[in-house]
Amino acid sequence: MARLFGTDGVRGLANGDLSPELALSVAAAAARVLAEHDSSHRPVAVVGRDPRASGEMLQAAVAAGLTSAGADVMQVGVLPTPAIAYLVGDLSADLGVMISASHNPMPDNGIKLFAAGGHKLPDTIEDEIEAAVGAAFSRPTGAGVGRIYDISDALDRYLAHLLKSLPSRLDGLRVVVDCANGAAWAAAPQAYREAGAEVIAIHALPDGENINDGCGSTHLDGLREAVRTEQADLGIAHDGDADRCLAVDASGEVVDGDQIMAVLALAMKESGELAQNTLVATVMSNLGLHLAMREHDVDLRTTAVGDRYVLEELRESNLSLGGEQSGHVVLPAYATTGDGLLTAMRLMSRVAATSSPLAELAGVMTRLPQVLVNVKVADKAAVATSDSVSSAVAAVEAELGDSGRVLLRPSGTEQLVRVMVEAPSHEMAEAAAQRLVGVVSSVG
């Protein structure tokens, strides 16, 4: 049987494989596991969601599950995922539940759990919760049944936290923000305005069905056009639950997560905030980021793909900045998870403080052309151990030298091998990738 919890909680087609019955059962199991680990008090959970229509149904089911197992629920409404993580700590709760499928299409939804302090749940606790899903238990009655409370100042608490993290105000900046008709629709424009920016919000009218629909961080054309039309200094794009951030400069050029990390790393090095003079990224970050950090004497550590691995390295090594090319950026001094609003505010603060255009700041890093091909194979393990594949990779690496990079990565869930090549030109990257695809296909 497949594991219920994926790399980012429980996800699926809402009212299909992610049914209200399953949501209720997962929530009840989480409350029971928490109570088993600490019986000194009644568990308290913060519950929020993004605006997709199924979130209303699933929130009701999650609240019912938690209270049926004796936990109290603090409902905070539609807020970004990082706001839920922050509020778990700020409200001294034992658990956080975010109902969202992030950048997925509207019909999907998900349940993401946070431990006390707003940290991701350890795998061992997730395993205990999964084992308890659907199991019979002694239900509390009378005063033992949990209660539900609405927290009216949840957004204000989160915004105050964001503003405290700001190195300098955003006065004078004109910014377009694409809220993806998602969880950031109210929080992001208000946060940026309170920080001093002039804000033009687009895709900020969620109706339950239009989340991520041709907008947000996975569809940047609308933002690029709006930045040019509005003659803005820059644009910010969030995904459905606002745990990520991408940017667009004044000319409409995309500034991706690698470039954002490069800008923030140098700013933090200058201010003395960059712990151990080190940035953490995944193996998928562009070689241009490696070269830029090397040029500016910043160490770059790489992890497996996934923000959870970046988080693990940051926490274990007491580091202060890490993230992914996709725009998930983590600043542990201010957040326990990726926070797109925090990232955007730190980026805009750097623009305002230096009076430098975003294009100039992002120019510290040159993105090398990258070609990524997913190759279907019969046996990805055979590819990983193949001498002919190793020889082909070594030959391409020798040709590219320090000006390019090769990465072969088996999929964690499918019989696929991802072939990635970076080179000085797209033509060189494409040619090298196709050579490797041919060898991988012949072996796998």
Side-chain angles (χ1 to χ4, degrees):
M1 178 179 173
R3 191 171 188 266
L4 180 63
F5 285 91
T7 56
D8 208 19
V10 180
R11 285 194 189 177
L13 178 64
N15 216 26
D17 44 0
L18 180 53
S19 65
E21 291 84 358
L22 176 60
L24 188 150
S25 190
V26 168
R32 300 197 317 271
V33 168
L34 284 176
E36 289 169 3
H37 280 266
D38 183 0
S39 59
S40 65
H41 64 283
R42 185 174 180 131
V44 176
V46 173
V47 178
R49 62 182 179 87
D50 71 24
R52 65 189 78 210
S54 61
E56 300 161 1
M57 169 188 73
L58 293 174
Q59 178 178 278
V62 164
L66 290 166
T67 53
S68 75
D72 287 339
V73 172
M74 294 190 285
Q75 294 186 148
V76 298
V78 173
L79 282 178
T81 289
I84 306 308
Y86 169 73
L87 289 165
V88 171
D90 191 54
L91 295 169
S92 300
D94 304 287
L95 177 71
V97 184
M98 178 63 183
I99 300 165
S100 174
S102 187
H103 60 279
N104 282 27
M106 183 278 289
D108 290 345
N109 217 323
I111 300 172
K112 183 186 293 188
L113 303 180
F114 292 99
H119 297 284
K120 285 184 181 259
L121 283 180
D123 289 346
T124 53
I125 300 299
E126 284 188 348
D127 290 342
E128 289 182 43
I129 293 172
E130 186 163 337
V133 169
F137 67 100
S138 179
R139 296 179 181 274
T141 57
V145 174
R147 304 295 298 275
I148 299 175
Y149 306 92
D150 290 325
I151 306 301
S152 60
D153 66 343
L155 175 58
D156 293 337
R157 286 170 176 263
Y158 175 56
L159 293 180
H161 155 67
L162 290 175
L163 291 169
K164 285 180 184 176
S165 72
L166 201 61
S168 58
R169 287 182 55 80
L170 311 182
D171 300 287
L173 284 188
R174 181 175 171 85
V175 57
V176 179
V177 56
D178 184 342
C179 301
N181 290 316
W185 78 272
Q190 186 173 339
Y192 306 156
R193 288 186 182 116
E194 290 188 13
E198 179 187 355
V199 178
I200 299 100
I202 63 174
H203 304 122
L205 292 171
D207 62 10
E209 299 180 10
N210 58 2
I211 186 170
N212 299 321
D213 187 7
C215 56
S217 61
T218 53
H219 301 87
L220 293 170
D221 286 347
L223 177 62
R224 297 175 68 191
E225 181 60 31
V227 167
R228 290 189 291 257
T229 299
E230 298 289 346
Q231 297 184 323
D233 296 297
L234 73 158
I236 297 294
H238 296 299
D239 61 337
D241 72 336
D243 65 352
R244 74 170 72 178
C245 157
L246 293 179
V248 168
D249 68 23
S251 68
E253 289 299 310
V254 175
V255 176
D256 70 10
D258 284 342
Q259 292 168 296
I260 291 171
M261 287 191 289
V263 173
L264 296 186
L266 298 190
M268 292 171 68
K269 180 183 179 183
E270 182 181 296
S271 65
E273 293 179 275
L274 191 63
Q276 300 177 47
N277 202 37
T278 298
L279 168 68
V280 179
T282 76
V283 293
M284 289 303 292
S285 277
N286 194 275
L287 177 60
L289 179 62
H290 292 253
L291 298 176
M293 293 300 95
R294 188 183 309 161
E295 181 181 345
H296 289 86
D297 298 319
V298 173
D299 293 329
L300 180 61
R301 295 188 192 176
T302 57
T303 72
V305 175
D307 64 330
R308 69 183 301 143
Y309 302 111
V310 173
L311 272 165
E312 286 173 6
E313 180 61 27
L314 289 169
R315 293 181 66 182
E316 290 174 6
S317 302
N318 294 314
L319 299 173
S320 56
L321 177 64
E324 297 184 282
Q325 192 178 59
S326 61
H328 283 105
V329 176
V330 185
L331 293 139
Y334 307 101
T336 56
T337 188
D339 188 332
L341 279 71
L342 173 64
T343 302
M345 291 176 76
R346 298 283 293 198
L347 180 67
M348 290 189 285
S349 179
R350 183 62 170 172
V351 172
T354 60
S355 299
S356 300
L358 178 56
E360 180 181 320
L361 294 174
V364 69
M365 174 193 151
T366 301
R367 282 181 295 186
L368 271 69
Q370 183 184 88
V371 172
L372 177 64
V373 183
N374 292 327
V375 186
K376 290 185 177 181
V377 295
D379 185 357
K380 59 190 176 185
V383 174
T385 58
S386 166
D387 290 339
S388 60
V389 171
S390 298
S391 297
V393 169
V396 172
E397 288 177 332
E399 291 175 14
L400 294 175
D402 292 336
S403 65
R405 187 166 69 111
V406 176
L407 178 67
L408 265 63
R409 187 169 67 89
S411 167
T413 57
E414 303 173 84
Q415 285 293 341
L416 288 176
V417 174
R418 309 190 196 283
V419 175
M420 188 271 283
V421 177
E422 292 167 346
S425 71
H426 180 81
E427 292 74 18
M428 290 178 65
E430 180 69 34
Q434 291 306 322
R435 281 167 52 194
L436 293 174
V437 167
V439 176
V440 168
S441 298
S442 66
V443 170

